[in-house]
């Protein structure tokens, strides 16, 4: 059994190597930006821990863990718009750094990406 710190490190490594880039860049740059702002990463760690608890391989849970984290961050992008928030984790929110339309479309793309990651099994 891995410690939560080891699992978080493994997830952070997987996240850092995941390609959130694409065209048009003004759609994908905000996704990469929000996904790299950090956070506690409790949700993906719990997904991976649950997999391991039931005898699964940690590597097999990485896509599902990332899907949950992408989904969570999608909700944060939309929540920041609704709350008129200027910052998230000490940095400009997506709608402040780009604009509201880009934030909405990038958030929607994150929802699609989350579903896609879940279907990658």
């Amino acid at each position: 059994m891995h410690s939560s710190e080891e699992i978080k490190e493994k997830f952070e490594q997987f996240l850092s190597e995941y390609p959130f880039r694409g065209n048009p860049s003004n759609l994908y740059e905000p996704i990469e930006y929000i996904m790299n702002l950090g956070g506690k990463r409790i949700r993906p760690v719990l997904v991976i821990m649950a997999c391991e608890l039931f005898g699964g391989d940690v590597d097999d849970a990485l896509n599902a863990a990332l899907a949950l984290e992408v989904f969570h961050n999608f909700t944060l992008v939309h929540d920041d718009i609704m709350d008129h928030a200027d910052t998230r984790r000490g940095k400009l929110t997506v709608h402040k750094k780009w604009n509201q339309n880009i934030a909405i479309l990038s958030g929607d793309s994150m929802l699609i990406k989350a579903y896609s990651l879940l279907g990658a099994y």
Side-chain angles (χ1 to χ4, degrees), residues 12-24:
E12 290 286 355
Q13 182 65 38
F14 183 72
L15 175 62
S16 73
E17 295 170 0
Y18 193 84
F20 286 110
R21 294 167 199 90
N23 286 313

Side-chain angles (χ1 to χ4, degrees), residues 23-38:
N23 286 313
S25 61
N26 64 347
L27 178 69
Y28 290 96
E29 285 175 10
I31 297 171
E32 188 169 19
Y33 173 78
I34 189 77
M35 292 304 300
N36 289 310
L37 283 184

Side-chain angles (χ1 to χ4, degrees), residues 4-89:
S4 60
E5 292 81 21
E6 291 171 326
I7 291 172
K8 183 178 178 188
E9 281 180 33
K10 184 160 189 73
F11 177 77
E12 290 286 355
Q13 182 65 38
F14 183 72
L15 175 62
S16 73
E17 295 170 0
Y18 193 84
F20 286 110
R21 294 167 199 90
N23 286 313
S25 61
N26 64 347
L27 178 69
Y28 290 96
E29 285 175 10
I31 297 171
E32 188 169 19
Y33 173 78
I34 189 77
M35 292 304 300
N36 289 310
L37 283 184
K40 296 179 288 289
R41 309 289 194 216
I42 291 171
R43 290 159 193 83
V45 168
L46 289 174
V47 167
I48 296 167
M49 288 176 85
C51 175
E52 193 172 43
L53 179 67
F54 289 98
D57 185 337
V58 168
D59 291 334
D60 292 339
L62 289 171
N63 279 340
L66 182 57
L68 188 58
E69 190 67 5
V70 170
F71 181 84
H72 172 64
N73 280 275
F74 142 72
T75 66
L76 296 179
V77 169
H78 284 239
D79 181 67
D80 289 340
I81 294 167
M82 293 169 58
D83 292 346
H84 306 286
D86 293 335
T87 60
R88 161 85 42 205
R89 300 179 182 127

